[in-house]
Coordinates of all heavy atoms in Angstrom, one line a residue:
M5 N 69.1 67.1 108.4 CA 69.3 68.4 109.0 C 70.6 69.1 108.5 O 71.5 68.4 108.2 CB 69.4 68.1 110.5 CG 68.1 67.9 111.1 SD 68.4 67.9 113.0 CE 67.4 69.3 113.4
A6 N 70.5 70.4 108.6 CA 71.7 71.2 108.1 C 72.6 71.3 109.4 O 72.3 71.2 110.4 CB 71.3 72.5 107.7
D7 N 73.9 71.5 108.9 CA 74.9 71.7 110.0 C 74.9 73.1 110.5 O 74.6 74.1 109.7 CB 76.3 71.4 109.4 CG 76.5 70.0 109.1 OD1 75.9 69.1 109.8 OD2 77.2 69.6 108.2
V8 N 75.2 73.3 111.7 CA 75.3 74.6 112.3 C 76.5 75.3 111.8 O 77.6 74.7 112.0 CB 75.2 74.6 113.8 CG1 75.3 76.0 114.4 CG2 73.9 73.9 114.2
V9 N 76.5 76.5 111.4 CA 77.7 77.2 110.8 C 77.9 78.4 111.6 O 77.0 79.2 111.8 CB 77.4 77.6 109.3 CG1 78.6 78.3 108.8 CG2 77.1 76.3 108.5
N10 N 79.1 78.7 112.0 CA 79.6 79.9 112.6 C 79.9 80.9 111.6 O 80.9 80.8 110.9 CB 80.8 79.6 113.5 CG 81.1 80.7 114.4 OD1 80.7 81.8 114.2 ND2 82.0 80.4 115.4
L11 N 79.1 81.9 111.6 CA 79.3 83.0 110.5 C 80.6 83.9 110.8 O 81.1 84.4 109.8 CB 78.1 83.8 110.4 CG 76.8 83.2 109.9 CD1 75.7 84.1 109.8 CD2 77.0 82.6 108.5
K12 N 80.9 84.0 112.0 CA 82.1 84.8 112.3 C 83.3 84.2 111.7 O 84.2 84.9 111.2 CB 82.4 84.7 113.9 CG 81.6 85.8 114.6 CD 82.2 85.8 116.1 CE 81.4 86.7 117.0 NZ 81.9 86.6 118.3
R13 N 83.4 82.9 111.7 CA 84.6 82.2 111.1 C 84.7 82.5 109.7 O 85.8 82.8 109.1 CB 84.4 80.7 111.3 CG 85.6 79.9 110.8 CD 85.5 78.4 111.0 NE 85.3 78.1 112.5 CZ 84.9 77.0 113.0 NH1 84.4 76.1 112.1 NH2 84.7 76.8 114.3
F14 N 83.5 82.5 108.9 CA 83.6 82.7 107.4 C 83.9 84.3 107.2 O 84.6 84.5 106.3 CB 82.3 82.4 106.8 CG 82.1 80.8 106.7 CD1 81.3 80.2 107.7 CD2 82.8 80.1 105.9 CE1 81.2 78.8 107.6 CE2 82.7 78.8 105.8 CZ 81.9 78.1 106.6
K15 N 83.3 85.1 108.0 CA 83.7 86.5 107.9 C 85.2 86.8 108.1 O 85.8 87.6 107.4 CB 82.9 87.4 108.9 CG 81.5 87.6 108.5 CD 80.8 88.6 109.6 CE 79.4 89.0 109.2 NZ 78.8 89.9 110.2
K16 N 85.7 86.1 109.1 CA 87.1 86.3 109.4 C 88.0 85.7 108.3 O 89.0 86.3 107.9 CB 87.5 85.7 110.6 CG 87.1 86.4 111.9 CD 87.6 85.6 113.2 CE 87.1 86.3 114.4 NZ 87.6 85.6 115.6
R17 N 87.6 84.6 107.6 CA 88.3 84.0 106.6 C 88.3 85.0 105.4 O 89.3 85.1 104.7 CB 87.7 82.7 106.2 CG 88.5 82.0 105.1 CD 88.0 80.6 104.7 NE 87.9 79.7 105.9 CZ 87.1 78.6 105.9 NH1 86.4 78.3 104.9 NH2 87.2 77.8 107.0
A18 N 87.1 85.6 105.0 CA 87.0 86.4 103.9 C 87.8 87.6 104.2 O 88.5 88.1 103.1 CB 85.5 86.8 103.7
T19 N 87.9 88.2 105.3 CA 88.7 89.4 105.6 C 90.2 89.0 105.5 O 91.0 89.8 104.9 CB 88.5 89.8 107.1 OG1 87.1 90.1 107.2 CG2 89.3 91.1 107.4
R20 N 90.6 87.9 105.9 CA 91.9 87.4 105.9 C 92.3 87.2 104.4 O 93.4 87.7 104.0 CB 92.1 86.1 106.6 CG 93.5 85.9 107.1 CD 93.6 84.6 108.0 NE 92.6 84.5 109.0 CZ 91.8 83.4 109.1 NH1 91.8 82.4 108.3 NH2 90.9 83.4 110.0
D21 N 91.5 86.7 103.6 CA 91.8 86.4 102.1 C 91.9 87.8 101.4 O 92.8 88.1 100.5 CB 90.7 85.6 101.5 CG 90.7 84.2 101.9 OD1 91.8 83.8 102.5 OD2 89.7 83.5 101.7
Q22 N 91.0 88.8 101.8 CA 91.1 90.0 101.1 C 92.4 90.8 101.6 O 93.0 91.4 100.6 CB 89.9 90.9 101.6 CG 89.8 92.2 100.9 CD 88.6 93.0 101.3 OE1 87.8 92.6 102.2 NE2 88.4 94.2 100.7
S23 N 92.8 90.7 102.8 CA 94.0 91.4 103.2 C 95.2 90.7 102.5 O 96.2 91.4 102.3 CB 94.2 91.5 104.6 OG 94.2 90.2 105.3
A24 N 95.2 89.4 102.3 CA 96.3 88.7 101.7 C 96.4 89.2 100.2 O 97.5 89.3 99.8 CB 96.0 87.2 101.8
K25 N 95.3 89.4 99.5 CA 95.3 89.9 98.1 C 95.9 91.3 98.1 O 96.7 91.6 97.2 CB 93.9 89.9 97.6 CG 93.4 88.6 97.2 CD 92.0 88.7 96.6 CE 91.4 87.3 96.4 NZ 90.1 87.4 95.8
L26 N 95.5 92.1 99.0 CA 96.0 93.5 99.1 C 97.6 93.5 99.5 O 98.3 94.2 98.8 CB 95.3 94.3 100.1 CG 95.8 95.7 100.3 CD1 95.6 96.5 99.1 CD2 95.0 96.3 101.5
A27 N 97.9 92.5 100.2 CA 99.4 92.5 100.6 C 100.2 92.0 99.3 O 101.4 92.5 99.1 CB 99.6 91.4 101.7
D28 N 99.6 91.1 98.6 CA 100.3 90.6 97.4 C 100.5 91.8 96.4 O 101.5 91.8 95.7 CB 99.6 89.4 96.7 CG 99.8 88.2 97.5 OD1 100.8 88.0 98.3 OD2 99.0 87.3 97.3
A29 N 99.4 92.5 96.3 CA 99.5 93.7 95.4 C 100.5 94.6 95.8 O 101.3 95.2 95.0 CB 98.1 94.3 95.2
N30 N 100.6 94.9 97.1 CA 101.6 95.9 97.6 C 103.0 95.4 97.5 O 103.9 96.2 97.1 CB 101.3 96.2 99.0 CG 100.1 97.2 99.3 OD1 99.8 97.9 98.3 ND2 99.5 97.1 100.4
R31 N 103.2 94.1 97.6 CA 104.5 93.5 97.4 C 105.0 93.6 96.0 O 106.1 94.0 95.7 CB 104.5 92.0 97.8 CG 104.7 91.8 99.3 CD 104.8 90.3 99.5 NE 104.2 90.0 100.8 CZ 103.0 89.3 100.9 NH1 102.4 88.8 99.8 NH2 102.5 89.1 102.1
A32 N 104.0 93.5 95.1 CA 104.4 93.6 93.7 C 104.7 95.1 93.3 O 105.5 95.3 92.4 CB 103.3 93.0 92.7
R33 N 104.0 96.0 94.0 CA 104.0 97.4 93.7 C 105.3 98.1 94.2 O 106.0 98.9 93.7 CB 102.7 98.1 94.2 CG 102.7 99.5 93.8 CD 101.4 100.1 94.1 NE 101.3 101.5 94.0 CZ 100.4 102.3 94.4 NH1 99.4 101.7 95.2 NH2 100.3 103.6 94.2
F34 N 105.5 97.7 95.6 CA 106.5 98.4 96.3 C 107.8 97.6 96.6 O 108.8 98.1 97.1 CB 106.0 99.0 97.6 CG 104.9 100.0 97.5 CD1 103.6 99.6 97.8 CD2 105.2 101.2 97.1 CE1 102.6 100.6 97.7 CE2 104.2 102.1 96.9 CZ 102.9 101.9 97.3
G35 N 107.7 96.3 96.4 CA 108.8 95.4 96.8 C 109.9 95.2 95.6 O 110.3 94.1 95.4
R36 N 110.2 96.3 94.9 CA 111.2 96.2 93.9 C 112.4 96.8 94.3 O 112.5 97.7 95.1 CB 110.6 96.8 92.6 CG 109.4 96.2 92.1 CD 108.9 96.7 90.7 NE 108.8 98.2 90.8 CZ 108.6 99.0 89.8 NH1 108.7 98.5 88.7 NH2 108.5 100.4 90.0
T37 N 113.6 96.4 93.8 CA 114.8 97.0 94.0 C 115.0 98.3 93.2 O 114.3 98.6 92.4 CB 116.0 96.0 93.6 OG1 115.9 95.8 92.2 CG2 115.8 94.6 94.4
K38 N 116.0 99.0 93.8 CA 116.3 100.3 93.2 C 116.6 100.2 91.6 O 116.1 101.0 90.8 CB 117.3 101.0 93.9 CG 117.5 102.4 93.5 CD 118.7 103.1 94.4 CE 118.8 104.5 93.9 NZ 119.8 105.2 95.0
S39 N 117.3 99.1 91.3 CA 117.7 99.0 90.0 C 116.5 98.6 89.1 O 116.4 99.0 87.9 CB 118.9 97.9 89.8 OG 118.4 96.7 90.3
E40 N 115.6 97.9 89.6 CA 114.3 97.5 88.8 C 113.5 98.8 88.7 O 112.9 99.0 87.5 CB 113.5 96.5 89.6 CG 114.2 95.1 89.6 CD 113.4 94.1 90.5 OE1 112.8 94.5 91.5 OE2 113.5 92.9 90.2
R41 N 113.4 99.6 89.6 CA 112.6 100.9 89.5 C 113.3 101.8 88.4 O 112.6 102.4 87.6 CB 112.5 101.6 90.8 CG 111.6 100.9 91.8 CD 111.3 101.9 93.0 NE 112.4 102.3 93.7 CZ 113.0 101.8 94.8 NH1 112.4 100.8 95.4 NH2 114.1 102.3 95.3
A42 N 114.6 101.9 88.5 CA 115.3 102.7 87.5 C 115.2 102.2 86.1 O 114.9 103.0 85.2 CB 116.8 102.8 87.9
L43 N 115.2 100.9 86.0 CA 115.0 100.3 84.6 C 113.6 100.6 84.1 O 113.5 100.9 83.0 CB 115.3 98.8 84.7 CG 115.2 98.0 83.4 CD1 116.3 98.5 82.3 CD2 115.4 96.6 83.6
D44 N 112.6 100.5 85.0 CA 111.2 100.8 84.6 C 111.1 102.2 84.2 O 110.4 102.4 83.2 CB 110.3 100.3 85.7 CG 108.9 100.4 85.3 OD1 108.7 99.9 84.1 OD2 108.0 100.6 86.1
E45 N 111.7 103.0 85.0 CA 111.6 104.5 84.7 C 112.3 104.8 83.4 O 111.8 105.6 82.6 CB 112.3 105.3 85.8 CG 112.2 106.7 85.6 CD 112.7 107.5 86.7 OE1 112.7 107.0 87.9 OE2 113.2 108.7 86.6
Q46 N 113.4 104.2 83.1 CA 114.2 104.3 81.9 C 113.3 103.8 80.7 O 113.2 104.6 79.6 CB 115.4 103.6 82.0 CG 116.4 103.8 80.7 CD 117.7 103.0 81.0 OE1 117.7 102.0 81.6 NE2 118.8 103.5 80.3
R47 N 112.7 102.8 80.8 CA 111.8 102.2 79.7 C 110.7 103.2 79.4 O 110.4 103.4 78.2 CB 111.3 100.8 80.0 CG 112.4 99.8 80.0 CD 111.8 98.3 80.4 NE 112.8 97.3 80.3 CZ 112.7 96.2 80.9 NH1 111.7 95.9 81.6 NH2 113.8 95.3 80.8
T48 N 110.1 103.7 80.5 CA 108.9 104.6 80.3 C 109.4 105.9 79.6 O 108.7 106.3 78.7 CB 108.3 104.9 81.6 OG1 107.9 103.6 82.3 CG2 107.2 105.8 81.6
S49 N 110.6 106.4 80.1 CA 111.0 107.6 79.5 C 111.4 107.4 78.0 O 111.1 108.2 77.2 CB 112.3 108.0 80.3 OG 112.9 109.1 79.6
R50 N 112.0 106.3 77.6 CA 112.4 106.0 76.2 C 111.1 105.8 75.4 O 111.0 106.5 74.3 CB 113.1 104.7 76.2 CG 113.3 104.1 74.8 CD 114.6 104.9 74.2 NE 115.0 104.2 73.0 CZ 115.1 105.0 71.8 NH1 115.1 106.1 71.9 NH2 115.5 104.2 70.7
A51 N 110.0 105.2 76.0 CA 108.7 105.1 75.1 C 108.2 106.5 74.9 O 107.6 106.8 73.8 CB 107.8 104.1 75.9
N52 N 108.2 107.4 76.0 CA 107.6 108.7 75.8 C 108.4 109.5 74.9 O 107.9 110.2 74.0 CB 107.5 109.4 77.1 CG 106.5 108.8 78.0 OD1 105.6 108.3 77.6 ND2 106.6 109.0 79.3
D53 N 109.7 109.4 74.8 CA 110.6 110.1 73.9 C 110.2 109.6 72.4 O 110.2 110.5 71.5 CB 112.1 109.8 74.1 CG 112.4 110.6 75.4 OD1 111.6 111.4 75.9 OD2 113.6 110.2 76.0
L54 N 110.1 108.3 72.2 CA 109.7 107.8 70.9 C 108.4 108.4 70.4 O 108.2 108.7 69.2 CB 109.8 106.3 70.9 CG 111.2 105.7 70.9 CD1 111.0 104.1 71.1 CD2 112.0 106.0 69.7
L55 N 107.5 108.4 71.3 CA 106.2 108.9 70.9 C 106.2 110.5 70.5 O 105.6 110.9 69.7 CB 105.1 108.7 72.1 CG 104.6 107.3 72.2 CD1 103.7 107.3 73.4 CD2 103.8 106.9 70.9
N56 N 107.0 111.2 71.3 CA 107.2 112.6 71.2 C 107.9 113.0 69.8 O 107.6 114.0 69.3 CB 107.8 113.3 72.4 CG 107.0 113.4 73.5 OD1 105.8 113.3 73.5 ND2 107.7 113.4 74.7
Q57 N 108.7 112.0 69.3 CA 109.4 112.3 68.2 C 108.4 112.2 66.9 O 108.7 112.7 65.8 CB 110.4 111.2 67.9 CG 111.6 111.4 68.8 CD 112.6 110.2 68.7 OE1 112.4 109.4 67.9 NE2 113.7 110.4 69.5
H58 N 107.3 111.6 67.1 CA 106.4 111.4 66.0 C 105.2 112.5 66.0 O 104.3 112.4 65.2 CB 105.7 110.0 66.0 CG 106.7 109.0 65.7 ND1 107.1 108.6 64.5 CD2 107.4 108.1 66.5 CE1 107.9 107.7 64.4 NE2 108.2 107.3 65.7
R59 N 105.3 113.5 66.8 CA 104.3 114.6 66.9 C 104.4 115.4 65.6 O 105.6 115.6 65.1 CB 104.5 115.5 68.1 CG 104.1 114.7 69.4 CD 104.0 115.7 70.5 NE 103.8 115.0 71.7 CZ 102.6 114.8 72.3 NH1 101.5 115.1 71.6 NH2 102.5 114.2 73.4
L60 N 103.3 116.0 65.1 CA 103.3 116.7 64.0 C 103.4 118.2 64.3 O 102.6 118.7 65.2 CB 102.0 116.6 63.2 CG 101.7 115.2 62.7 CD1 100.4 115.1 62.1 CD2 102.8 114.8 61.7
G61 N 104.3 118.9 63.8 CA 104.5 120.4 64.0 C 105.0 120.8 65.4 O 104.7 122.0 65.8
G62 N 105.4 119.8 66.2 CA 105.8 120.2 67.6 C 104.6 120.4 68.6 O 104.8 120.7 69.7
E63 N 103.4 120.3 68.1 CA 102.2 120.4 69.0 C 101.4 119.2 68.9 O 101.7 118.2 68.2 CB 101.4 121.6 68.5 CG 102.0 122.9 68.4 CD 101.2 124.0 67.8 OE1 99.9 123.7 67.6 OE2 101.6 125.1 67.6
D64 N 100.4 119.1 69.8 CA 99.5 118.0 69.7 C 98.8 118.0 68.4 O 98.3 119.0 67.9 CB 98.4 118.1 70.9 CG 98.9 117.6 72.2 OD1 99.9 116.8 72.2 OD2 98.4 117.9 73.3
A65 N 98.6 116.8 67.9 CA 97.9 116.6 66.6 C 96.4 116.7 66.7 O 95.7 116.9 65.7 CB 98.3 115.3 66.0
S66 N 95.9 116.7 67.9 CA 94.5 116.7 68.1 C 94.0 118.1 68.2 O 93.7 119.0 67.8 CB 94.1 116.1 69.5 OG 94.7 116.7 70.5

């Protein structure tokens, strides 16, 4: 015979796991210090500047 399973328990566990994954993603996204955010912004700005220096004729090449 099969064991009796309480489906509420599994639904609750799935919901808890999903919210834990969302919490981890939010911690990675918003849980940075001001200096880390500034460094990331500086790197992005530098990369965009380097790409803009390689444009042809000052306009989009496309």
Side-chain angles (χ1 to χ4, degrees):
M5 285 186 115
D7 292 329
V8 177
V9 178
N10 187 349
L11 294 178
K12 273 189 190 179
R13 183 179 301 161
F14 289 104
K15 281 185 177 180
K16 286 182 181 182
R17 183 182 301 162
T19 304
R20 208 175 312 126
D21 290 344
Q22 184 179 6
S23 63
K25 286 180 185 178
L26 180 62
D28 286 341
N30 283 339
R31 278 188 215 106
R33 187 173 172 196
F34 296 108
R36 299 184 306 165
T37 63
K38 188 174 183 177
S39 61
E40 289 173 336
R41 288 191 307 261
L43 182 62
D44 191 34
E45 184 178 334
Q46 185 180 27
R47 287 179 181 161
T48 304
S49 174
R50 174 78 173 136
N52 287 336
D53 290 344
L54 287 175
L55 284 175
N56 288 334
Q57 290 174 2
H58 292 283
R59 290 193 186 270
L60 300 175
E63 299 178 9
D64 277 339
S66 58

